[in-house]
Amino acid sequence: MSSPGVPSSQSAHNLFSDDSHPNSLLQSQTSQILTATESTLLNHYLEHTCQDMTVDDDDQYTLQVGIPNLAFQNKLLMKSVLAFSAVCKCCDIINQPLLSDGDRGRVVMLLSIADQYHMESLREIQATLAETDQYDHILANAAIMGMYGSSSHCIRIWLAETASDDLERGRFTPKGCQWISLFRAVRVAYTGLLNDRFKAEDVVQLVPATSPIHPVAGCDFQIHCECKVKSWGEQPKGTRDHSLYPILADTVVSALKGLRKRAEEITRNGMGDYEDRDIPGIHNDSDVQACLAALELFENIASKAFPDTKLMSNTPGHSRLASEIDIGTVGQVSKVSPWMRRYTARITSMIPSKLPRRFIMAFVHKAPTKYLYLVEDMMGLMQSGAPRGHGITRCPLNAINSEPSLAHQLAVDIFAHWLVLVMLLDKVWWIGGLGAWELGQIISLRKDTRWCMSLWKTDDDWWPESMFEISRQFNKHRAKDGV
């Protein structure tokens, strides 16, 4: 794929203000430099994907003009845009009212193409990122890859849930936590530029050696997808219109009180009510403090999601979150274009947002890295399926009973509560069923009798599990009614 010169910044603004379609000049170039498949995918991005994500004029310029222009200047960004567009096509297919026999195969084919573009871009970024000062391209690529990470995860979930047998289900079941690393990468990159500490290895992590989807030979084929698409004016409804919202609003206060109580018992007494049980895995104070910071962040997000409840944000007695950073033009970030700087700050909630998809997902952006390591350890434990020390790498299991540390248990307890809020975003196509799937995995771990979890009293009602079951019943009966 060649990389012709991108229109100048001034011509890009002229393009945006022209009465014609803002991407008409870009589309006229595609047939000259892209293959048929790439041209189809780029046109889909320009005509549907970027418009479906647009919420205001700033988004419109960034997604429909700024990033496409940068993509023509940088082949790695172009590959990421094409990958994201292919996954968007997958979502268009699976969200149709009726699926044909060939639709599943088309989804697999598109996901294979998307994964190929994504992996090529990811590997080349790792090889060249330290040598570049094209910070607009870096941030744009990180933003697109973040949404690609969550959306491709959703497609794999759908393929696993609709698989015809265990072998096929195992082939598509999502593995690892790469979606978290990819989703967080744009904030890590921006913070590094802001503090003159930008490092390539901080932006892209957990790159698998091979694709989780089998590669497809000869990907240069015409893609035809007749799907109804939404215009900018047809944005998904807010979380208040979600069927789960009323019951979550009625129960979230007591749920958070219980979660806060468990965290404070660990902080105050080391083990609190758990000291008469088998000795838990070791934990250290920095792990617990990371969990407390994540809990404070979650409480603030919950208070924003349910403003009519008695939840209190900015819980007193805890330190100010380090994630509240200046977004001014200092450090290497001064080399970033103003429109890219504003967009990055908005999608990572450095600038407060009223959009639920931004302030709820801000948990991944703002949570302490140490806390996310604890969560990743536990998610690795779930996928290993072995109850003897596998998956816990940064804080080893206790040698006596192979129990994860209380810090690990608290971390995943907080994470499960947050995933309940993520379920409210299931109509956002690049998030979809991610919340319910990940929560289901945690619930399965909680019920696994091979593990001793001192923090989780399995005889008690657990709010995330109760909300998950209610959601499952809602969806089951809606499916019966054809809703």
Side-chain angles (χ1 to χ4, degrees), residues 384-412:
S384 72
R388 279 286 167 188
H390 298 284
I392 300 295
T393 56
R394 298 175 183 85
C395 187
L397 293 175
N398 182 275
I400 297 176
N401 61 7
S402 298
E403 180 181 356
S405 74
L406 287 177
H408 279 96
Q409 295 176 51
L410 178 59
V412 80

PDB file of all heavy atoms in Angstrom, residues 384-412:
ATOM      1  N   SER A 384      -6.765 -20.032  32.274  1.00  0.00           N
ATOM      2  CA  SER A 384      -5.852 -21.167  32.401  1.00  0.00           C
ATOM      3  C   SER A 384      -6.596 -22.433  32.786  1.00  0.00           C
ATOM      4  O   SER A 384      -6.211 -23.533  32.406  1.00  0.00           O
ATOM      5  CB  SER A 384      -4.771 -20.866  33.445  1.00  0.00           C
ATOM      6  OG  SER A 384      -5.326 -20.879  34.752  1.00  0.00           O
ATOM      7  N   GLY A 385      -7.670 -22.271  33.580  1.00  0.00           N
ATOM      8  CA  GLY A 385      -8.464 -23.419  33.988  1.00  0.00           C
ATOM      9  C   GLY A 385      -7.759 -24.330  34.968  1.00  0.00           C
ATOM     10  O   GLY A 385      -8.226 -25.423  35.267  1.00  0.00           O
ATOM     11  N   ALA A 386      -6.602 -23.915  35.477  1.00  0.00           N
ATOM     12  CA  ALA A 386      -5.841 -24.763  36.392  1.00  0.00           C
ATOM     13  C   ALA A 386      -5.761 -24.106  37.756  1.00  0.00           C
ATOM     14  O   ALA A 386      -5.413 -22.946  37.861  1.00  0.00           O
ATOM     15  CB  ALA A 386      -4.438 -24.992  35.846  1.00  0.00           C
ATOM     16  N   PRO A 387      -6.081 -24.818  38.825  1.00  0.00           N
ATOM     17  CA  PRO A 387      -6.127 -24.208  40.151  1.00  0.00           C
ATOM     18  C   PRO A 387      -4.814 -24.214  40.899  1.00  0.00           C
ATOM     19  O   PRO A 387      -4.801 -24.101  42.100  1.00  0.00           O
ATOM     20  CB  PRO A 387      -7.150 -25.086  40.875  1.00  0.00           C
ATOM     21  CG  PRO A 387      -6.947 -26.434  40.281  1.00  0.00           C
ATOM     22  CD  PRO A 387      -6.582 -26.200  38.845  1.00  0.00           C
ATOM     23  N   ARG A 388      -3.682 -24.362  40.219  1.00  0.00           N
ATOM     24  CA  ARG A 388      -2.418 -24.438  40.940  1.00  0.00           C
ATOM     25  C   ARG A 388      -1.426 -23.391  40.472  1.00  0.00           C
ATOM     26  O   ARG A 388      -0.464 -23.682  39.786  1.00  0.00           O
ATOM     27  CB  ARG A 388      -1.809 -25.835  40.790  1.00  0.00           C
ATOM     28  CG  ARG A 388      -2.414 -26.842  41.747  1.00  0.00           C
ATOM     29  CD  ARG A 388      -1.915 -26.602  43.163  1.00  0.00           C
ATOM     30  NE  ARG A 388      -2.702 -27.340  44.136  1.00  0.00           N
ATOM     31  CZ  ARG A 388      -2.571 -27.181  45.437  1.00  0.00           C
ATOM     32  NH1 ARG A 388      -1.718 -26.300  45.919  1.00  0.00           N
ATOM     33  NH2 ARG A 388      -3.310 -27.880  46.266  1.00  0.00           N
ATOM     34  N   GLY A 389      -1.706 -22.144  40.800  1.00  0.00           N
ATOM     35  CA  GLY A 389      -0.706 -21.112  40.617  1.00  0.00           C
ATOM     36  C   GLY A 389      -0.556 -20.558  39.223  1.00  0.00           C
ATOM     37  O   GLY A 389       0.279 -19.707  38.995  1.00  0.00           O
ATOM     38  N   HIS A 390      -1.333 -21.036  38.249  1.00  0.00           N
ATOM     39  CA  HIS A 390      -1.193 -20.521  36.891  1.00  0.00           C
ATOM     40  C   HIS A 390      -1.950 -19.211  36.758  1.00  0.00           C
ATOM     41  O   HIS A 390      -3.074 -19.084  37.197  1.00  0.00           O
ATOM     42  CB  HIS A 390      -1.727 -21.537  35.882  1.00  0.00           C
ATOM     43  CG  HIS A 390      -0.986 -22.836  35.909  1.00  0.00           C
ATOM     44  ND1 HIS A 390       0.253 -22.982  35.344  1.00  0.00           N
ATOM     45  CD2 HIS A 390      -1.297 -24.028  36.462  1.00  0.00           C
ATOM     46  CE1 HIS A 390       0.666 -24.221  35.521  1.00  0.00           C
ATOM     47  NE2 HIS A 390      -0.253 -24.874  36.199  1.00  0.00           N
ATOM     48  N   GLY A 391      -1.333 -18.250  36.094  1.00  0.00           N
ATOM     49  CA  GLY A 391      -2.024 -16.995  35.815  1.00  0.00           C
ATOM     50  C   GLY A 391      -1.649 -15.876  36.755  1.00  0.00           C
ATOM     51  O   GLY A 391      -1.674 -14.726  36.376  1.00  0.00           O
ATOM     52  N   ILE A 392      -1.317 -16.173  38.003  1.00  0.00           N
ATOM     53  CA  ILE A 392      -0.914 -15.129  38.939  1.00  0.00           C
ATOM     54  C   ILE A 392       0.598 -14.984  38.836  1.00  0.00           C
ATOM     55  O   ILE A 392       1.343 -15.853  39.263  1.00  0.00           O
ATOM     56  CB  ILE A 392      -1.318 -15.486  40.383  1.00  0.00           C
ATOM     57  CG1 ILE A 392      -2.823 -15.653  40.473  1.00  0.00           C
ATOM     58  CG2 ILE A 392      -0.837 -14.439  41.354  1.00  0.00           C
ATOM     59  CD1 ILE A 392      -3.608 -14.401  40.217  1.00  0.00           C
ATOM     60  N   THR A 393       1.038 -13.893  38.264  1.00  0.00           N
ATOM     61  CA  THR A 393       2.460 -13.737  37.978  1.00  0.00           C
ATOM     62  C   THR A 393       3.116 -12.660  38.816  1.00  0.00           C
ATOM     63  O   THR A 393       4.254 -12.796  39.210  1.00  0.00           O
ATOM     64  CB  THR A 393       2.655 -13.389  36.497  1.00  0.00           C
ATOM     65  OG1 THR A 393       1.895 -12.213  36.199  1.00  0.00           O
ATOM     66  CG2 THR A 393       2.175 -14.528  35.612  1.00  0.00           C
ATOM     67  N   ARG A 394       2.401 -11.579  39.106  1.00  0.00           N
ATOM     68  CA  ARG A 394       3.032 -10.460  39.816  1.00  0.00           C
ATOM     69  C   ARG A 394       2.877 -10.576  41.328  1.00  0.00           C
ATOM     70  O   ARG A 394       3.564  -9.934  42.076  1.00  0.00           O
ATOM     71  CB  ARG A 394       2.453  -9.139  39.316  1.00  0.00           C
ATOM     72  CG  ARG A 394       2.720  -8.913  37.837  1.00  0.00           C
ATOM     73  CD  ARG A 394       2.035  -7.669  37.328  1.00  0.00           C
ATOM     74  NE  ARG A 394       2.249  -7.527  35.898  1.00  0.00           N
ATOM     75  CZ  ARG A 394       1.501  -8.109  34.974  1.00  0.00           C
ATOM     76  NH1 ARG A 394       0.488  -8.860  35.344  1.00  0.00           N
ATOM     77  NH2 ARG A 394       1.753  -7.945  33.696  1.00  0.00           N
ATOM     78  N   CYS A 395       1.924 -11.375  41.785  1.00  0.00           N
ATOM     79  CA  CYS A 395       1.737 -11.596  43.217  1.00  0.00           C
ATOM     80  C   CYS A 395       1.399 -13.065  43.393  1.00  0.00           C
ATOM     81  O   CYS A 395       0.271 -13.478  43.146  1.00  0.00           O
ATOM     82  CB  CYS A 395       0.609 -10.712  43.757  1.00  0.00           C
ATOM     83  SG  CYS A 395       0.440 -10.766  45.549  1.00  0.00           S
ATOM     84  N   PRO A 396       2.356 -13.906  43.776  1.00  0.00           N
ATOM     85  CA  PRO A 396       2.167 -15.356  43.710  1.00  0.00           C
ATOM     86  C   PRO A 396       1.080 -15.853  44.649  1.00  0.00           C
ATOM     87  O   PRO A 396       0.767 -15.246  45.665  1.00  0.00           O
ATOM     88  CB  PRO A 396       3.535 -15.897  44.129  1.00  0.00           C
ATOM     89  CG  PRO A 396       4.155 -14.799  44.925  1.00  0.00           C
ATOM     90  CD  PRO A 396       3.660 -13.526  44.328  1.00  0.00           C
ATOM     91  N   LEU A 397       0.519 -16.996  44.295  1.00  0.00           N
ATOM     92  CA  LEU A 397      -0.469 -17.641  45.138  1.00  0.00           C
ATOM     93  C   LEU A 397       0.192 -18.162  46.403  1.00  0.00           C
ATOM     94  O   LEU A 397       1.370 -18.475  46.435  1.00  0.00           O
ATOM     95  CB  LEU A 397      -1.108 -18.811  44.389  1.00  0.00           C
ATOM     96  CG  LEU A 397      -1.973 -18.449  43.180  1.00  0.00           C
ATOM     97  CD1 LEU A 397      -2.415 -19.717  42.490  1.00  0.00           C
ATOM     98  CD2 LEU A 397      -3.165 -17.634  43.597  1.00  0.00           C
ATOM     99  N   ASN A 398      -0.597 -18.265  47.452  1.00  0.00           N
ATOM    100  CA  ASN A 398      -0.104 -18.827  48.690  1.00  0.00           C
ATOM    101  C   ASN A 398       0.247 -20.296  48.488  1.00  0.00           C
ATOM    102  O   ASN A 398      -0.494 -21.044  47.861  1.00  0.00           O
ATOM    103  CB  ASN A 398      -1.186 -18.681  49.762  1.00  0.00           C
ATOM    104  CG  ASN A 398      -0.729 -19.205  51.102  1.00  0.00           C
ATOM    105  OD1 ASN A 398      -0.828 -20.392  51.367  1.00  0.00           O
ATOM    106  ND2 ASN A 398      -0.232 -18.313  51.931  1.00  0.00           N
ATOM    107  N   ALA A 399       1.370 -20.703  49.004  1.00  0.00           N
ATOM    108  CA  ALA A 399       1.847 -22.064  48.772  1.00  0.00           C
ATOM    109  C   ALA A 399       0.974 -23.112  49.451  1.00  0.00           C
ATOM    110  O   ALA A 399       0.994 -24.280  49.086  1.00  0.00           O
ATOM    111  CB  ALA A 399       3.286 -22.190  49.269  1.00  0.00           C
ATOM    112  N   ILE A 400       0.196 -22.690  50.474  1.00  0.00           N
ATOM    113  CA  ILE A 400      -0.591 -23.662  51.230  1.00  0.00           C
ATOM    114  C   ILE A 400      -1.863 -24.044  50.489  1.00  0.00           C
ATOM    115  O   ILE A 400      -2.191 -25.215  50.333  1.00  0.00           O
ATOM    116  CB  ILE A 400      -0.943 -23.094  52.624  1.00  0.00           C
ATOM    117  CG1 ILE A 400       0.346 -22.857  53.420  1.00  0.00           C
ATOM    118  CG2 ILE A 400      -1.884 -24.031  53.370  1.00  0.00           C
ATOM    119  CD1 ILE A 400       0.108 -22.215  54.771  1.00  0.00           C
ATOM    120  N   ASN A 401      -2.614 -23.042  50.001  1.00  0.00           N
ATOM    121  CA  ASN A 401      -3.917 -23.370  49.432  1.00  0.00           C
ATOM    122  C   ASN A 401      -4.154 -22.798  48.041  1.00  0.00           C
ATOM    123  O   ASN A 401      -5.258 -22.868  47.535  1.00  0.00           O
ATOM    124  CB  ASN A 401      -5.036 -22.905  50.366  1.00  0.00           C
ATOM    125  CG  ASN A 401      -5.000 -21.394  50.584  1.00  0.00           C
ATOM    126  OD1 ASN A 401      -4.233 -20.686  49.941  1.00  0.00           O
ATOM    127  ND2 ASN A 401      -5.834 -20.913  51.488  1.00  0.00           N
ATOM    128  N   SER A 402      -3.119 -22.248  47.429  1.00  0.00           N
ATOM    129  CA  SER A 402      -3.219 -21.731  46.059  1.00  0.00           C
ATOM    130  C   SER A 402      -4.348 -20.725  45.891  1.00  0.00           C
ATOM    131  O   SER A 402      -5.018 -20.693  44.871  1.00  0.00           O
ATOM    132  CB  SER A 402      -3.413 -22.885  45.065  1.00  0.00           C
ATOM    133  OG  SER A 402      -2.323 -23.746  45.084  1.00  0.00           O
ATOM    134  N   GLU A 403      -4.564 -19.912  46.892  1.00  0.00           N
ATOM    135  CA  GLU A 403      -5.618 -18.903  46.810  1.00  0.00           C
ATOM    136  C   GLU A 403      -5.055 -17.583  46.312  1.00  0.00           C
ATOM    137  O   GLU A 403      -4.004 -17.140  46.776  1.00  0.00           O
ATOM    138  CB  GLU A 403      -6.244 -18.688  48.186  1.00  0.00           C
ATOM    139  CG  GLU A 403      -7.353 -17.645  48.181  1.00  0.00           C
ATOM    140  CD  GLU A 403      -7.939 -17.448  49.567  1.00  0.00           C
ATOM    141  OE1 GLU A 403      -7.535 -18.165  50.486  1.00  0.00           O
ATOM    142  OE2 GLU A 403      -8.794 -16.561  49.711  1.00  0.00           O
ATOM    143  N   PRO A 404      -5.730 -16.927  45.359  1.00  0.00           N
ATOM    144  CA  PRO A 404      -5.283 -15.595  44.959  1.00  0.00           C
ATOM    145  C   PRO A 404      -5.287 -14.650  46.157  1.00  0.00           C
ATOM    146  O   PRO A 404      -6.091 -14.796  47.078  1.00  0.00           O
ATOM    147  CB  PRO A 404      -6.327 -15.172  43.919  1.00  0.00           C
ATOM    148  CG  PRO A 404      -6.897 -16.453  43.411  1.00  0.00           C
ATOM    149  CD  PRO A 404      -6.885 -17.388  44.583  1.00  0.00           C
ATOM    150  N   SER A 405      -4.408 -13.676  46.134  1.00  0.00           N
ATOM    151  CA  SER A 405      -4.321 -12.743  47.248  1.00  0.00           C
ATOM    152  C   SER A 405      -5.625 -11.969  47.398  1.00  0.00           C
ATOM    153  O   SER A 405      -6.424 -11.856  46.468  1.00  0.00           O
ATOM    154  CB  SER A 405      -3.164 -11.768  47.026  1.00  0.00           C
ATOM    155  OG  SER A 405      -3.511 -10.824  46.024  1.00  0.00           O
ATOM    156  N   LEU A 406      -5.834 -11.406  48.590  1.00  0.00           N
ATOM    157  CA  LEU A 406      -7.021 -10.589  48.815  1.00  0.00           C
ATOM    158  C   LEU A 406      -7.032  -9.381  47.886  1.00  0.00           C
ATOM    159  O   LEU A 406      -8.097  -8.929  47.460  1.00  0.00           O
ATOM    160  CB  LEU A 406      -7.070 -10.133  50.275  1.00  0.00           C
ATOM    161  CG  LEU A 406      -7.440 -11.208  51.301  1.00  0.00           C
ATOM    162  CD1 LEU A 406      -7.383 -10.635  52.708  1.00  0.00           C
ATOM    163  CD2 LEU A 406      -8.814 -11.789  51.017  1.00  0.00           C
ATOM    164  N   ALA A 407      -5.848  -8.853  47.575  1.00  0.00           N
ATOM    165  CA  ALA A 407      -5.791  -7.724  46.641  1.00  0.00           C
ATOM    166  C   ALA A 407      -6.286  -8.145  45.264  1.00  0.00           C
ATOM    167  O   ALA A 407      -7.023  -7.407  44.601  1.00  0.00           O
ATOM    168  CB  ALA A 407      -4.360  -7.187  46.556  1.00  0.00           C
ATOM    169  N   HIS A 408      -5.887  -9.338  44.816  1.00  0.00           N
ATOM    170  CA  HIS A 408      -6.382  -9.843  43.535  1.00  0.00           C
ATOM    171  C   HIS A 408      -7.900 -10.016  43.572  1.00  0.00           C
ATOM    172  O   HIS A 408      -8.612  -9.656  42.627  1.00  0.00           O
ATOM    173  CB  HIS A 408      -5.730 -11.189  43.207  1.00  0.00           C
ATOM    174  CG  HIS A 408      -4.357 -11.081  42.620  1.00  0.00           C
ATOM    175  ND1 HIS A 408      -3.217 -11.182  43.375  1.00  0.00           N
ATOM    176  CD2 HIS A 408      -3.947 -10.871  41.341  1.00  0.00           C
ATOM    177  CE1 HIS A 408      -2.154 -11.056  42.589  1.00  0.00           C
ATOM    178  NE2 HIS A 408      -2.571 -10.864  41.344  1.00  0.00           N
ATOM    179  N   GLN A 409      -8.392 -10.571  44.675  1.00  0.00           N
ATOM    180  CA  GLN A 409      -9.832 -10.800  44.784  1.00  0.00           C
ATOM    181  C   GLN A 409     -10.604  -9.482  44.827  1.00  0.00           C
ATOM    182  O   GLN A 409     -11.665  -9.345  44.200  1.00  0.00           O
ATOM    183  CB  GLN A 409     -10.124 -11.629  46.037  1.00  0.00           C
ATOM    184  CG  GLN A 409      -9.546 -13.036  45.984  1.00  0.00           C
ATOM    185  CD  GLN A 409      -9.778 -13.799  47.272  1.00  0.00           C
ATOM    186  OE1 GLN A 409     -10.900 -13.865  47.767  1.00  0.00           O
ATOM    187  NE2 GLN A 409      -8.725 -14.377  47.822  1.00  0.00           N
ATOM    188  N   LEU A 410     -10.074  -8.506  45.559  1.00  0.00           N
ATOM    189  CA  LEU A 410     -10.729  -7.201  45.623  1.00  0.00           C
ATOM    190  C   LEU A 410     -10.703  -6.525  44.253  1.00  0.00           C
ATOM    191  O   LEU A 410     -11.689  -5.909  43.830  1.00  0.00           O
ATOM    192  CB  LEU A 410     -10.041  -6.319  46.662  1.00  0.00           C
ATOM    193  CG  LEU A 410     -10.595  -4.894  46.813  1.00  0.00           C
ATOM    194  CD1 LEU A 410     -12.073  -4.914  47.193  1.00  0.00           C
ATOM    195  CD2 LEU A 410      -9.776  -4.111  47.848  1.00  0.00           C
ATOM    196  N   ALA A 411      -9.585  -6.661  43.547  1.00  0.00           N
ATOM    197  CA  ALA A 411      -9.465  -6.036  42.222  1.00  0.00           C
ATOM    198  C   ALA A 411     -10.534  -6.549  41.272  1.00  0.00           C
ATOM    199  O   ALA A 411     -11.208  -5.767  40.580  1.00  0.00           O
ATOM    200  CB  ALA A 411      -8.072  -6.299  41.645  1.00  0.00           C
ATOM    201  N   VAL A 412     -10.720  -7.860  41.234  1.00  0.00           N
ATOM    202  CA  VAL A 412     -11.697  -8.412  40.297  1.00  0.00           C
ATOM    203  C   VAL A 412     -13.124  -8.177  40.793  1.00  0.00           C
ATOM    204  O   VAL A 412     -14.068  -8.087  39.994  1.00  0.00           O
ATOM    205  CB  VAL A 412     -11.415  -9.910  40.040  1.00  0.00           C
ATOM    206  CG1 VAL A 412     -11.954 -10.790  41.151  1.00  0.00           C
ATOM    207  CG2 VAL A 412     -11.977 -10.348  38.694  1.00  0.00           C
TER     208      VAL A 412
END
